[in-house]
Amino acid sequence: MLNRTRALNIARSSRSIKKLELVSTLQAGKLARFSKYGKAMGTGVVAIDFASRIGNVQTTYKADGNWERELFVESSSFTLSALAGTATAKAGVAFFVVATPVGWVGLIVVAAATALGTNYIVKEKSGGWYDDIMDWVSSL
Amino acid sequence: MSFSALLAIFAVVAFISMALYIIFGQVTVRKLRKNPATKHALGIEFASGWDIVNVAGALALPKMVAQKIKRNSVSMGLGQGFEADPNLLYKHTTRFDRLLARLFYWSWASSGFGLIALTLAYFLFGFGQN
């Protein structure tokens, strides 16, 4: 990285870090690290979560259970909990929770808790939706 | 109306908004990412695809509000790149892009806050627990 222009160009073409033009370099470093961790961790967590959901569907299938119903429950709770978590994080950022003592960590914890909670209630209720939809389809 | 039915309504809106998310991302944000003028004005990307929500917010909220959010984020020391730049994005988008942004953003926001509200109601006040 001896050539400054080249370093700058590389930084500019990356989609994640360059967007931070922060006033203090300390904050820039913190945010960039946070954003990196967020990306890596986010993908990892999603991968683990996804695998466990597929596992649940497969277990149900192996046990001769209603695996289509399980698939419906798992996929809808996955989507909805992701949406609720994102909405929480975005709202927190918009209301500048990050600038208060609650900070980034608090925001992440709250967003994760919302996602888990939404996941829980959707899992509990969506089986009933599936049954209703199936009843409706078979009554046509 | 039962808790389950209310949740189902938000779920349907959420599925529609997820479809709109993909469409808006592919139609509008892809174009903006390729455009050198707007490439760096799409806001921070915490997770892949986060800029889609940033852009949608900048175009869907009333312009005054979007500008205020942008200004506040700068004055909070979060930097120019933290939020998407509504003024620049308005110049580089068509009416159709903005319509798409509004459809996506409001379905996303309403279902998101509906889900959050129901989750809180369930765990804090015991609504819908049988």
Side-chain angles (χ1 to χ4, degrees), chain B residues 29-107:
Chain B
V29 180
R30 212 164 109 102
K31 185 176 74 183
L32 296 171
R33 279 182 193 147
K34 284 182 180 168
N35 187 342
T38 51
K39 200 174 167 185
H40 301 302
L42 305 181
I44 196 168
E45 208 172 10
F46 287 128
S48 193
W50 199 272
D51 54 348
I52 300 175
V53 185
N54 291 340
V55 173
L59 292 175
L61 290 166
K63 208 172 180 183
M64 292 278 288
V65 178
Q67 282 166 338
K68 192 165 172 56
I69 288 178
K70 170 86 185 162
R71 271 204 308 277
N72 279 352
S73 78
V74 175
S75 65
M76 285 295 211
L78 293 170
Q80 281 293 341
F82 193 80
E83 293 285 347
D85 185 346
N87 296 330
L88 197 61
L89 291 180
Y90 266 88
K91 271 183 216 151
H92 290 91
T93 46
T94 62
R95 286 175 80 95
F96 176 72
D97 290 330
R98 272 167 251 156
L99 177 74
L100 213 53
R102 275 165 205 147
L103 285 175
F104 160 64
Y105 188 81
W106 290 113
S107 62

Side-chain angles (χ1 to χ4, degrees), chain A residues 22-121:
Chain A
L22 297 183
V23 204
S24 89
T25 37
L26 182 72
Q27 204 169 16
K30 265 190 194 162
L31 254 183
R33 226 177 312 139
F34 172 79
S35 158
K36 263 192 186 164
Y37 283 142
K39 264 192 179 174
M41 252 180 61
T43 318
V45 169
V46 167
I48 293 167
D49 185 46
F50 204 75
S52 91
R53 285 171 198 273
I54 296 290
N56 284 346
V57 177
Q58 205 207 5
T59 313
T60 316
Y61 174 76
K62 276 191 180 154
D64 277 336
N66 193 347
W67 67 272
E68 290 101 333
R69 186 177 191 270
E70 188 65 20
L71 184 63
F72 180 86
V73 170
E74 294 291 353
S75 52
S76 53
S77 58
F78 179 75
T79 318
L80 296 180
S81 55
L83 195 144
T86 332
T88 313
K90 187 74 185 160
V93 169
F95 291 116
F96 304 106
V97 180
V98 290
T100 68
V102 179
W104 289 108
V105 179
L107 182 63
I108 295 168
V109 171
V110 171
T114 316
L116 285 175
T118 309
N119 181 47
Y120 182 87
I121 56 171

